[in-house]
Amino acid sequence: MDYLGKHISGQYDADLAHIRKEVMTMGGLVEKQFSDAISTVLVHDVDLAESVIANDKKVNQLEVEIDEACVKIIAKRQPTASDLRLIMSIIKVISELERIGDSARAICQIVKQDFTEEQQSLLRSLDSMGNNVVRMLKEVLDAFTRMDMDMALKIYQEEKRIGQNYEMLIRQMMTFMMEDPRSIPNILIALNCARAIMRVSSRCQNISELIFYFVKGQDYRHVGDDVIDTLLEERNKKS
């Protein structure tokens, strides 16, 4: 779907195209940041962790630049209807992306510590969950680029499965702590990483809701599963 459309003013189209390009740039950078962060968890690559931490400044700067560009286009063009929804969605998406970048940085700050083999083993247990969320992030960014409602619904549902994996990991680690109190420092490190990964999953779900908002013209935050189920039923009837 070409959600930019065409306007009488060529400059207006150019401004929107520039903002869209910058969002894609920021999304690509954040996707790499998070993917690299998960890699550092698995292989304890301190140099890569340092690189992710340093590049977080680029993520923050892109958020500021895109936000300023959006404010300018609102002031100059006074967009209405779908154009305004698009710009408001972008402003909120870049905020979610910046926070995903923060989660990637937090993971890398944890990974920089010196680990025992037991700690490294616990961190590697996050492999499946981490890679699933990396894929989720990639898919939601692709969906936002195309404003793909079907893909957004799929990703929205995926967050529940990630949440179930997270809860299972928590139960396992709590069991370890009760069986061996000496393991508590090790497990707390793994839990902090797991929480950071889970937060990224929730950010991806938030981006899905912004796609719903743009396509449907309705705010779907905090609406409950029954409303989302209605969207799923509508999609299934069309397919």
Side-chain angles (χ1 to χ4, degrees):
M1 175 182 179
D2 181 7
Y3 60 87
L4 288 179
K6 292 293 181 181
H7 304 87
I8 294 174
S9 169
Q11 186 57 50
Y12 190 6
D13 287 334
D15 291 344
L16 284 172
H18 174 70
I19 290 172
R20 181 191 184 196
K21 181 179 178 183
E22 289 297 288
V23 173
M24 292 171 66
T25 298
M26 184 179 180
L29 176 57
V30 169
E31 183 184 333
K32 185 176 188 307
Q33 287 281 94
F34 183 63
S35 178
D36 285 348
I38 296 302
S39 295
T40 66
V41 171
L42 304 181
V43 299
H44 195 231
D45 187 335
V46 175
D47 289 339
L48 183 58
E50 291 280 11
S51 176
V52 171
I53 292 168
N55 283 334
D56 188 57
K57 293 178 182 179
K58 296 179 183 178
V59 174
N60 295 341
Q61 185 58 37
L62 279 167
E63 183 196 18
V64 171
E65 291 173 0
I66 295 169
D67 189 73
E68 289 177 349
C70 287
V71 170
K72 285 179 182 178
I73 203 170
I74 290 172
K76 288 169 59 179
R77 306 295 179 182
Q78 298 181 344
T80 58
S82 63
D83 283 342
L84 183 58
R85 290 204 308 275
L86 171 61
I87 293 168
M88 295 307 298
S89 296
I90 285 173
I91 290 172
K92 293 175 182 179
V93 161
I94 60 174
S95 177
E96 298 291 348
L97 291 175
E98 190 275 332
R99 287 168 181 160
I100 292 172
D102 286 345
S103 292
R105 182 187 63 200
I107 290 168
C108 289
Q109 286 172 334
I110 293 170
V111 169
K112 282 175 59 182
Q113 301 177 40
D114 291 328
F115 293 139
T116 64
E117 179 55 38
E118 184 179 7
Q119 288 171 324
Q120 290 180 7
S121 176
L122 280 169
L123 289 173
R124 286 193 291 268
S125 71
L126 304 177
D127 182 17
S128 177
M129 179 181 172
N131 285 322
N132 284 337
V133 178
V134 168
R135 184 175 64 253
M136 190 179 180
L137 176 57
K138 180 181 187 306
E139 289 177 349
V140 82
L141 290 173
D142 289 344
F144 187 78
T145 299
R146 302 191 304 272
M147 286 301 177
D148 186 332
M149 186 76 174
D150 288 347
M151 180 62 75
L153 284 165
K154 175 187 171 186
I155 294 160
Y156 188 94
Q157 291 178 297
E158 179 71 8
E159 197 271 347
K160 292 181 181 178
R161 190 170 72 84
I162 299 295
Q164 290 169 353
N165 291 343
Y166 173 71
E167 289 172 4
M168 183 176 68
L169 279 168
I170 295 295
R171 288 194 295 270
Q172 290 174 343
M173 291 181 183
M174 292 296 289
T175 300
F176 292 154
M177 285 193 288
M178 288 187 289
E179 291 177 349
D180 182 8
R182 292 172 301 178
S183 70
I184 290 175
N186 300 339
I187 290 171
L188 288 177
I189 289 171
L191 282 175
N192 285 335
C193 275
R195 287 193 192 100
I197 294 169
M198 186 62 209
R199 280 195 291 270
V200 173
S201 174
S202 297
R203 301 290 178 198
C204 291
Q205 190 178 62
N206 292 346
I207 295 173
S208 292
E209 291 173 346
L210 291 169
I211 297 171
F212 303 161
Y213 165 68
F214 175 79
V215 174
K216 293 290 188 178
Q218 179 181 339
D219 193 337
Y220 284 89
R221 293 174 298 175
H222 319 302
V223 294
D225 289 343
D226 54 337
V227 177
I228 303 300
D229 288 342
T230 301
L231 289 176
L232 286 165
E233 289 173 8
E234 291 176 0
R235 184 193 70 170
N236 292 335
K237 287 178 182 178
K238 291 178 182 178
S239 60

